[in-house]
Amino acid sequence: MKIFYIHHAMRKKNTLPSQMDGITNIGKKDAKLVAKIFSDAKKKGENIVAIYTSPFLRCKKTAKIINKLIDIPIFEEERLNEFGSIKEEKWIDCQIRTRDFLKDIIAKYNDEDVIICVTSGVNLTAFIGQFYKIKSSNKLPYPIVPSCSPIGFEINKSDLID
């Protein structure tokens, strides 16, 4: 199975960051480039079956732009929300909820499937931790990830860790 982490497109920032921040024109162009990459992969036989997105507006808009060329189901998933979206959440808790989502996805789909996940930059830590078997920790860094950067991970169900 291939799971692609995609950081949402560059966001329009309000005076205070918000779940309702949209995306910039540059971000829209970035998302269209990513859409082309996945469209080409689908034409070459990749079994792209679903997009999962955070309910944050910038993530949903990015997912919709990507989906214009591949036309697959989009599912909103709160566990992909960014760190701090849950009151008093600790950094380790954000990693754990994101990893729990990944475990559910790996259990749900087949090894030949491709899943796209549109989320925030900090969630990449949980993806890396899950796929490289690094335990969640409050000491792990928050990565800074560019707009719409797709990062792919391959895993078989037999490789799943707790």
Side-chain angles (χ1 to χ4, degrees):
M1 164 182 311
K2 294 178 187 172
I3 298 178
F4 283 88
Y5 157 93
I6 298 178
H7 184 250
H8 60 75
M10 185 184 298
R11 76 188 202 189
K12 287 182 184 175
K13 291 186 180 178
N14 296 318
T15 50
L16 293 173
S18 160
Q19 293 181 13
M20 296 307 294
D21 287 344
I23 57 178
T24 65
N25 288 334
I26 291 171
K28 291 174 186 174
K29 288 178 185 178
D30 291 344
K32 288 176 184 176
L33 289 171
V34 172
K36 176 80 168 99
I37 291 167
F38 284 108
S39 174
D40 290 348
K42 190 173 179 185
K43 289 175 187 171
K44 291 178 182 173
E46 290 286 345
N47 191 36
I48 306 171
V49 297
I51 297 176
Y52 284 83
T53 180
S54 162
F56 283 30
L57 183 61
R58 58 190 167 271
C59 295
K60 292 191 309 186
K61 284 188 170 202
T62 302
K64 286 179 183 178
I65 292 170
I66 292 169
N67 200 36
K68 283 183 181 179
L69 293 181
I70 55 177
D71 193 30
I72 57 176
I74 296 178
F75 303 98
E76 286 187 31
E77 176 55 62
E78 289 187 1
R79 292 178 290 178
L80 290 176
N81 287 350
E82 66 187 30
F83 176 57
S85 62
I86 298 172
K87 189 176 180 178
E88 298 182 25
E89 179 180 51
K90 293 182 177 129
W91 174 226
I92 192 170
D93 298 328
C94 176
Q95 295 168 59
I96 291 168
R97 75 171 151 84
T98 304
R99 288 169 83 129
D100 286 345
F101 159 75
L102 289 168
K103 290 175 194 174
D104 289 349
I105 291 302
I106 292 164
K108 180 177 181 177
Y109 292 97
N110 298 316
D111 283 341
E112 67 275 0
D113 293 338
V114 177
I115 310 300
I116 297 170
C117 300
V118 181
T119 185
S120 298
V122 296
N123 296 75
L124 180 58
T125 296
F127 279 72
I128 291 168
Q130 182 64 46
F131 293 104
Y132 289 97
K133 301 180 181 182
I134 301 167
K135 292 188 179 225
S136 296
S137 164
N138 279 320
K139 296 180 182 179
L140 293 178
Y142 304 173
I144 298 171
V145 187
S147 171
C148 274
S149 51
I151 301 171
F153 299 92
E154 286 192 53
I155 192 165
N156 295 315
K157 289 179 189 274
S158 60
D159 296 331
L160 185 62
I161 64 166
D162 291 327

mmCIF file of all heavy atoms in Angstrom, residues 3-41:
data_model
loop_
_atom_site.group_PDB
_atom_site.id
_atom_site.type_symbol
_atom_site.label_atom_id
_atom_site.label_comp_id
_atom_site.label_asym_id
_atom_site.label_seq_id
_atom_site.Cartn_x
_atom_site.Cartn_y
_atom_site.Cartn_z
ATOM 1 N N ILE A 3 0.742 5.277 0.875
ATOM 2 C CA ILE A 3 0.000 6.360 1.497
ATOM 3 C C ILE A 3 0.803 7.635 1.270
ATOM 4 O O ILE A 3 1.990 7.696 1.602
ATOM 5 C CB ILE A 3 -0.225 6.112 2.999
ATOM 6 C CG1 ILE A 3 -1.061 4.845 3.205
ATOM 7 C CG2 ILE A 3 -0.891 7.329 3.651
ATOM 8 C CD1 ILE A 3 -1.295 4.469 4.649
ATOM 9 N N PHE A 4 0.151 8.625 0.674
ATOM 10 C CA PHE A 4 0.808 9.888 0.407
ATOM 11 C C PHE A 4 0.326 10.946 1.387
ATOM 12 O O PHE A 4 -0.861 11.241 1.465
ATOM 13 C CB PHE A 4 0.549 10.358 -1.029
ATOM 14 C CG PHE A 4 1.371 9.631 -2.028
ATOM 15 C CD1 PHE A 4 0.918 8.452 -2.591
ATOM 16 C CD2 PHE A 4 2.616 10.109 -2.398
ATOM 17 C CE1 PHE A 4 1.682 7.758 -3.508
ATOM 18 C CE2 PHE A 4 3.395 9.428 -3.313
ATOM 19 C CZ PHE A 4 2.922 8.242 -3.878
ATOM 20 N N TYR A 5 1.271 11.474 2.128
ATOM 21 C CA TYR A 5 1.033 12.639 2.959
ATOM 22 C C TYR A 5 1.172 13.851 2.039
ATOM 23 O O TYR A 5 2.145 13.958 1.284
ATOM 24 C CB TYR A 5 2.083 12.711 4.078
ATOM 25 C CG TYR A 5 2.261 14.094 4.635
ATOM 26 C CD1 TYR A 5 1.547 14.503 5.751
ATOM 27 C CD2 TYR A 5 3.112 15.004 4.029
ATOM 28 C CE1 TYR A 5 1.689 15.778 6.242
ATOM 29 C CE2 TYR A 5 3.255 16.281 4.511
ATOM 30 C CZ TYR A 5 2.549 16.668 5.613
ATOM 31 O OH TYR A 5 2.680 17.931 6.087
ATOM 32 N N ILE A 6 0.202 14.757 2.085
ATOM 33 C CA ILE A 6 0.298 16.001 1.329
ATOM 34 C C ILE A 6 -0.037 17.154 2.265
ATOM 35 O O ILE A 6 -1.121 17.198 2.853
ATOM 36 C CB ILE A 6 -0.659 16.022 0.113
ATOM 37 C CG1 ILE A 6 -0.285 14.901 -0.834
ATOM 38 C CG2 ILE A 6 -0.602 17.387 -0.590
ATOM 39 C CD1 ILE A 6 -1.180 14.789 -2.032
ATOM 40 N N HIS A 7 0.917 18.051 2.392
ATOM 41 C CA HIS A 7 0.667 19.263 3.164
ATOM 42 C C HIS A 7 -0.294 20.135 2.370
ATOM 43 O O HIS A 7 -0.172 20.236 1.150
ATOM 44 C CB HIS A 7 1.985 20.008 3.388
ATOM 45 C CG HIS A 7 1.856 21.216 4.253
ATOM 46 N ND1 HIS A 7 1.977 22.479 3.755
ATOM 47 C CD2 HIS A 7 1.607 21.337 5.577
ATOM 48 C CE1 HIS A 7 1.824 23.343 4.739
ATOM 49 N NE2 HIS A 7 1.595 22.674 5.859
ATOM 50 N N HIS A 8 -1.267 20.719 3.051
ATOM 51 C CA HIS A 8 -2.228 21.572 2.348
ATOM 52 C C HIS A 8 -1.516 22.676 1.570
ATOM 53 O O HIS A 8 -0.375 23.032 1.859
ATOM 54 C CB HIS A 8 -3.235 22.179 3.333
ATOM 55 C CG HIS A 8 -2.608 23.022 4.403
ATOM 56 N ND1 HIS A 8 -2.111 24.292 4.165
ATOM 57 C CD2 HIS A 8 -2.394 22.774 5.709
ATOM 58 C CE1 HIS A 8 -1.631 24.789 5.275
ATOM 59 N NE2 HIS A 8 -1.777 23.885 6.236
ATOM 60 N N ALA A 9 -2.201 23.230 0.584
ATOM 61 C CA ALA A 9 -1.661 24.327 -0.206
ATOM 62 C C ALA A 9 -1.425 25.548 0.683
ATOM 63 O O ALA A 9 -2.026 25.676 1.754
ATOM 64 C CB ALA A 9 -2.625 24.669 -1.338
ATOM 65 N N MET A 10 -0.557 26.436 0.203
ATOM 66 C CA MET A 10 -0.241 27.644 0.956
ATOM 67 C C MET A 10 -1.521 28.369 1.366
ATOM 68 O O MET A 10 -2.385 28.618 0.536
ATOM 69 C CB MET A 10 0.618 28.577 0.106
ATOM 70 C CG MET A 10 1.094 29.802 0.842
ATOM 71 S SD MET A 10 2.018 30.930 -0.237
ATOM 72 C CE MET A 10 3.396 29.915 -0.709
ATOM 73 N N ARG A 11 -1.607 28.659 2.633
ATOM 74 C CA ARG A 11 -2.855 29.207 3.145
ATOM 75 C C ARG A 11 -2.859 30.727 3.186
ATOM 76 O O ARG A 11 -1.817 31.353 3.354
ATOM 77 C CB ARG A 11 -3.171 28.631 4.503
ATOM 78 C CG ARG A 11 -2.372 29.181 5.634
ATOM 79 C CD ARG A 11 -2.677 28.374 6.867
ATOM 80 N NE ARG A 11 -2.379 29.113 8.072
ATOM 81 C CZ ARG A 11 -2.389 28.574 9.253
ATOM 82 N NH1 ARG A 11 -2.666 27.295 9.405
ATOM 83 N NH2 ARG A 11 -2.129 29.291 10.310
ATOM 84 N N LYS A 12 -4.064 31.259 3.039
ATOM 85 C CA LYS A 12 -4.291 32.684 3.261
ATOM 86 C C LYS A 12 -4.420 32.850 4.763
ATOM 87 O O LYS A 12 -5.291 32.240 5.380
ATOM 88 C CB LYS A 12 -5.602 33.145 2.614
ATOM 89 C CG LYS A 12 -5.589 33.243 1.138
ATOM 90 C CD LYS A 12 -6.948 33.768 0.682
ATOM 91 C CE LYS A 12 -7.031 33.796 -0.817
ATOM 92 N NZ LYS A 12 -8.375 34.178 -1.283
ATOM 93 N N LYS A 13 -3.554 33.647 5.322
ATOM 94 C CA LYS A 13 -3.607 33.829 6.770
ATOM 95 C C LYS A 13 -4.457 35.039 7.120
ATOM 96 O O LYS A 13 -4.278 36.122 6.572
ATOM 97 C CB LYS A 13 -2.206 33.993 7.328
ATOM 98 C CG LYS A 13 -1.399 32.720 7.233
ATOM 99 C CD LYS A 13 -0.078 32.868 7.914
ATOM 100 C CE LYS A 13 0.695 31.569 7.782
ATOM 101 N NZ LYS A 13 2.000 31.652 8.382
ATOM 102 N N ASN A 14 -5.374 34.813 8.027
ATOM 103 C CA ASN A 14 -6.115 35.909 8.612
ATOM 104 C C ASN A 14 -5.239 36.523 9.699
ATOM 105 O O ASN A 14 -4.095 36.109 9.886
ATOM 106 C CB ASN A 14 -7.441 35.390 9.189
ATOM 107 C CG ASN A 14 -8.349 34.847 8.102
ATOM 108 O OD1 ASN A 14 -8.465 35.441 7.042
ATOM 109 N ND2 ASN A 14 -8.970 33.711 8.363
ATOM 110 N N THR A 15 -5.744 37.460 10.434
ATOM 111 C CA THR A 15 -4.931 38.053 11.491
ATOM 112 C C THR A 15 -4.520 36.993 12.512
ATOM 113 O O THR A 15 -3.409 37.002 12.995
ATOM 114 C CB THR A 15 -5.679 39.208 12.183
ATOM 115 O OG1 THR A 15 -6.974 38.756 12.547
ATOM 116 C CG2 THR A 15 -5.782 40.407 11.273
ATOM 117 N N LEU A 16 -5.406 36.087 12.821
ATOM 118 C CA LEU A 16 -5.080 34.944 13.671
ATOM 119 C C LEU A 16 -5.367 33.681 12.875
ATOM 120 O O LEU A 16 -6.413 33.580 12.230
ATOM 121 C CB LEU A 16 -5.940 34.941 14.944
ATOM 122 C CG LEU A 16 -5.683 36.084 15.930
ATOM 123 C CD1 LEU A 16 -6.716 36.058 17.049
ATOM 124 C CD2 LEU A 16 -4.284 35.977 16.506
ATOM 125 N N PRO A 17 -4.453 32.706 12.861
ATOM 126 C CA PRO A 17 -4.719 31.475 12.120
ATOM 127 C C PRO A 17 -6.050 30.855 12.527
ATOM 128 O O PRO A 17 -6.428 30.887 13.691
ATOM 129 C CB PRO A 17 -3.545 30.570 12.483
ATOM 130 C CG PRO A 17 -2.473 31.492 12.922
ATOM 131 C CD PRO A 17 -3.172 32.675 13.553
ATOM 132 N N SER A 18 -6.711 30.287 11.553
ATOM 133 C CA SER A 18 -8.059 29.780 11.779
ATOM 134 C C SER A 18 -8.277 28.506 10.976
ATOM 135 O O SER A 18 -7.626 28.283 9.962
ATOM 136 C CB SER A 18 -9.046 30.863 11.322
ATOM 137 O OG SER A 18 -10.314 30.341 11.068
ATOM 138 N N GLN A 19 -9.240 27.712 11.433
ATOM 139 C CA GLN A 19 -9.627 26.524 10.677
ATOM 140 C C GLN A 19 -10.261 26.910 9.353
ATOM 141 O O GLN A 19 -10.377 26.094 8.459
ATOM 142 C CB GLN A 19 -10.599 25.678 11.497
ATOM 143 C CG GLN A 19 -9.971 25.071 12.723
ATOM 144 C CD GLN A 19 -10.953 24.219 13.503
ATOM 145 O OE1 GLN A 19 -12.024 23.886 13.035
ATOM 146 N NE2 GLN A 19 -10.573 23.843 14.716
ATOM 147 N N MET A 20 -10.673 28.163 9.231
ATOM 148 C CA MET A 20 -11.353 28.620 8.023
ATOM 149 C C MET A 20 -10.424 29.358 7.057
ATOM 150 O O MET A 20 -10.881 29.942 6.088
ATOM 151 C CB MET A 20 -12.537 29.523 8.415
ATOM 152 C CG MET A 20 -13.607 28.777 9.208
ATOM 153 S SD MET A 20 -14.191 27.257 8.408
ATOM 154 C CE MET A 20 -14.992 27.920 6.970
ATOM 155 N N ASP A 21 -9.097 29.350 7.304
ATOM 156 C CA ASP A 21 -8.172 29.969 6.356
ATOM 157 C C ASP A 21 -8.299 29.268 5.009
ATOM 158 O O ASP A 21 -8.295 28.036 4.935
ATOM 159 C CB ASP A 21 -6.715 29.833 6.834
ATOM 160 C CG ASP A 21 -6.394 30.740 8.009
ATOM 161 O OD1 ASP A 21 -7.163 31.676 8.266
ATOM 162 O OD2 ASP A 21 -5.354 30.497 8.652
ATOM 163 N N GLY A 22 -8.396 30.049 3.938
ATOM 164 C CA GLY A 22 -8.442 29.498 2.586
ATOM 165 C C GLY A 22 -7.036 29.254 2.068
ATOM 166 O O GLY A 22 -6.079 29.144 2.847
ATOM 167 N N ILE A 23 -6.890 29.177 0.747
ATOM 168 C CA ILE A 23 -5.569 28.989 0.151
ATOM 169 C C ILE A 23 -5.298 30.118 -0.855
ATOM 170 O O ILE A 23 -6.213 30.686 -1.437
ATOM 171 C CB ILE A 23 -5.407 27.591 -0.506
ATOM 172 C CG1 ILE A 23 -6.471 27.319 -1.569
ATOM 173 C CG2 ILE A 23 -5.440 26.509 0.561
ATOM 174 C CD1 ILE A 23 -6.318 25.988 -2.276
ATOM 175 N N THR A 24 -4.027 30.408 -1.045
ATOM 176 C CA THR A 24 -3.614 31.490 -1.935
ATOM 177 C C THR A 24 -3.661 31.030 -3.392
ATOM 178 O O THR A 24 -3.788 29.827 -3.677
ATOM 179 C CB THR A 24 -2.181 31.942 -1.621
ATOM 180 O OG1 THR A 24 -1.287 30.847 -1.912
ATOM 181 C CG2 THR A 24 -2.023 32.371 -0.165
ATOM 182 N N ASN A 25 -3.514 31.965 -4.308
ATOM 183 C CA ASN A 25 -3.443 31.614 -5.730
ATOM 184 C C ASN A 25 -2.233 30.737 -6.025
ATOM 185 O O ASN A 25 -2.320 29.809 -6.825
ATOM 186 C CB ASN A 25 -3.429 32.881 -6.590
ATOM 187 C CG ASN A 25 -4.788 33.556 -6.615
ATOM 188 O OD1 ASN A 25 -5.822 32.911 -6.437
ATOM 189 N ND2 ASN A 25 -4.798 34.871 -6.813
ATOM 190 N N ILE A 26 -1.110 31.025 -5.375
ATOM 191 C CA ILE A 26 0.078 30.167 -5.545
ATOM 192 C C ILE A 26 -0.238 28.766 -5.028
ATOM 193 O O ILE A 26 0.125 27.766 -5.650
ATOM 194 C CB ILE A 26 1.299 30.765 -4.825
ATOM 195 C CG1 ILE A 26 1.751 32.045 -5.539
ATOM 196 C CG2 ILE A 26 2.447 29.765 -4.746
ATOM 197 C CD1 ILE A 26 2.805 32.834 -4.802
ATOM 198 N N GLY A 27 -0.914 28.683 -3.900
ATOM 199 C CA GLY A 27 -1.310 27.383 -3.349
ATOM 200 C C GLY A 27 -2.200 26.611 -4.305
ATOM 201 O O GLY A 27 -2.060 25.393 -4.454
ATOM 202 N N LYS A 28 -3.116 27.303 -4.963
ATOM 203 C CA LYS A 28 -3.987 26.640 -5.947
ATOM 204 C C LYS A 28 -3.174 26.085 -7.108
ATOM 205 O O LYS A 28 -3.428 24.962 -7.571
ATOM 206 C CB LYS A 28 -5.043 27.614 -6.461
ATOM 207 C CG LYS A 28 -6.078 27.983 -5.411
ATOM 208 C CD LYS A 28 -7.023 29.063 -5.911
ATOM 209 C CE LYS A 28 -7.943 29.517 -4.790
ATOM 210 N NZ LYS A 28 -8.783 30.655 -5.177
ATOM 211 N N LYS A 29 -2.182 26.830 -7.555
ATOM 212 C CA LYS A 29 -1.310 26.340 -8.641
ATOM 213 C C LYS A 29 -0.526 25.111 -8.177
ATOM 214 O O LYS A 29 -0.377 24.144 -8.930
ATOM 215 C CB LYS A 29 -0.352 27.441 -9.097
ATOM 216 C CG LYS A 29 -1.036 28.542 -9.869
ATOM 217 C CD LYS A 29 -0.049 29.639 -10.256
ATOM 218 C CE LYS A 29 -0.779 30.789 -10.931
ATOM 219 N NZ LYS A 29 0.138 31.885 -11.270
ATOM 220 N N ASP A 30 -0.023 25.163 -6.947
ATOM 221 C CA ASP A 30 0.702 24.011 -6.388
ATOM 222 C C ASP A 30 -0.192 22.774 -6.360
ATOM 223 O O ASP A 30 0.226 21.676 -6.740
ATOM 224 C CB ASP A 30 1.187 24.309 -4.964
ATOM 225 C CG ASP A 30 2.280 25.354 -4.889
ATOM 226 O OD1 ASP A 30 2.906 25.659 -5.924
ATOM 227 O OD2 ASP A 30 2.500 25.874 -3.778
ATOM 228 N N ALA A 31 -1.433 22.947 -5.908
ATOM 229 C CA ALA A 31 -2.369 21.821 -5.823
ATOM 230 C C ALA A 31 -2.664 21.254 -7.210
ATOM 231 O O ALA A 31 -2.791 20.030 -7.372
ATOM 232 C CB ALA A 31 -3.658 22.252 -5.127
ATOM 233 N N LYS A 32 -2.756 22.105 -8.213
ATOM 234 C CA LYS A 32 -2.988 21.633 -9.586
ATOM 235 C C LYS A 32 -1.799 20.825 -10.098
ATOM 236 O O LYS A 32 -1.983 19.839 -10.828
ATOM 237 C CB LYS A 32 -3.276 22.813 -10.511
ATOM 238 C CG LYS A 32 -4.644 23.425 -10.269
ATOM 239 C CD LYS A 32 -4.869 24.660 -11.131
ATOM 240 C CE LYS A 32 -6.203 25.310 -10.789
ATOM 241 N NZ LYS A 32 -6.434 26.564 -11.521
ATOM 242 N N LEU A 33 -0.585 21.215 -9.718
ATOM 243 C CA LEU A 33 0.600 20.438 -10.105
ATOM 244 C C LEU A 33 0.572 19.050 -9.459
ATOM 245 O O LEU A 33 0.879 18.046 -10.102
ATOM 246 C CB LEU A 33 1.884 21.176 -9.701
ATOM 247 C CG LEU A 33 2.218 22.427 -10.489
ATOM 248 C CD1 LEU A 33 3.393 23.161 -9.839
ATOM 249 C CD2 LEU A 33 2.538 22.083 -11.935
ATOM 250 N N VAL A 34 0.199 18.997 -8.195
ATOM 251 C CA VAL A 34 0.092 17.711 -7.494
ATOM 252 C C VAL A 34 -1.005 16.864 -8.128
ATOM 253 O O VAL A 34 -0.848 15.652 -8.314
ATOM 254 C CB VAL A 34 -0.143 17.930 -5.980
ATOM 255 C CG1 VAL A 34 -0.457 16.616 -5.282
ATOM 256 C CG2 VAL A 34 1.072 18.586 -5.354
ATOM 257 N N ALA A 35 -2.104 17.504 -8.506
ATOM 258 C CA ALA A 35 -3.200 16.789 -9.171
ATOM 259 C C ALA A 35 -2.705 16.134 -10.453
ATOM 260 O O ALA A 35 -3.055 14.977 -10.743
ATOM 261 C CB ALA A 35 -4.351 17.743 -9.478
ATOM 262 N N LYS A 36 -1.889 16.830 -11.200
ATOM 263 C CA LYS A 36 -1.340 16.292 -12.460
ATOM 264 C C LYS A 36 -0.461 15.069 -12.179
ATOM 265 O O LYS A 36 -0.529 14.073 -12.897
ATOM 266 C CB LYS A 36 -0.553 17.389 -13.182
ATOM 267 C CG LYS A 36 0.134 16.941 -14.440
ATOM 268 C CD LYS A 36 -0.814 16.878 -15.604
ATOM 269 C CE LYS A 36 -0.084 16.716 -16.918
ATOM 270 N NZ LYS A 36 -0.045 15.364 -17.404
ATOM 271 N N ILE A 37 0.340 15.140 -11.137
ATOM 272 C CA ILE A 37 1.199 14.005 -10.772
ATOM 273 C C ILE A 37 0.350 12.769 -10.494
ATOM 274 O O ILE A 37 0.626 11.673 -10.998
ATOM 275 C CB ILE A 37 2.072 14.352 -9.536
ATOM 276 C CG1 ILE A 37 3.117 15.405 -9.914
ATOM 277 C CG2 ILE A 37 2.731 13.099 -8.962
ATOM 278 C CD1 ILE A 37 3.811 16.030 -8.714
ATOM 279 N N PHE A 38 -0.705 12.937 -9.688
ATOM 280 C CA PHE A 38 -1.548 11.787 -9.348
ATOM 281 C C PHE A 38 -2.400 11.331 -10.529
ATOM 282 O O PHE A 38 -2.642 10.137 -10.697
ATOM 283 C CB PHE A 38 -2.409 12.078 -8.120
ATOM 284 C CG PHE A 38 -1.623 12.015 -6.848
ATOM 285 C CD1 PHE A 38 -1.313 13.168 -6.145
ATOM 286 C CD2 PHE A 38 -1.165 10.805 -6.355
ATOM 287 C CE1 PHE A 38 -0.569 13.109 -4.977
ATOM 288 C CE2 PHE A 38 -0.421 10.728 -5.199
ATOM 289 C CZ PHE A 38 -0.126 11.898 -4.501
ATOM 290 N N SER A 39 -2.825 12.254 -11.362
ATOM 291 C CA SER A 39 -3.578 11.889 -12.562
ATOM 292 C C SER A 39 -2.711 11.027 -13.488
ATOM 293 O O SER A 39 -3.173 9.998 -14.002
ATOM 294 C CB SER A 39 -4.042 13.155 -13.290
ATOM 295 O OG SER A 39 -4.653 12.824 -14.511
ATOM 296 N N ASP A 40 -1.471 11.445 -13.680
ATOM 297 C CA ASP A 40 -0.546 10.662 -14.517
ATOM 298 C C ASP A 40 -0.303 9.283 -13.914
ATOM 299 O O ASP A 40 -0.272 8.275 -14.638
ATOM 300 C CB ASP A 40 0.783 11.401 -14.689
ATOM 301 C CG ASP A 40 0.668 12.648 -15.558
ATOM 302 O OD1 ASP A 40 -0.381 12.841 -16.217
ATOM 303 O OD2 ASP A 40 1.633 13.447 -15.563
ATOM 304 N N ALA A 41 -0.146 9.218 -12.598
ATOM 305 C CA ALA A 41 0.070 7.930 -11.927
ATOM 306 C C ALA A 41 -1.141 7.022 -12.090
ATOM 307 O O ALA A 41 -0.998 5.817 -12.345
ATOM 308 C CB ALA A 41 0.373 8.158 -10.446
#
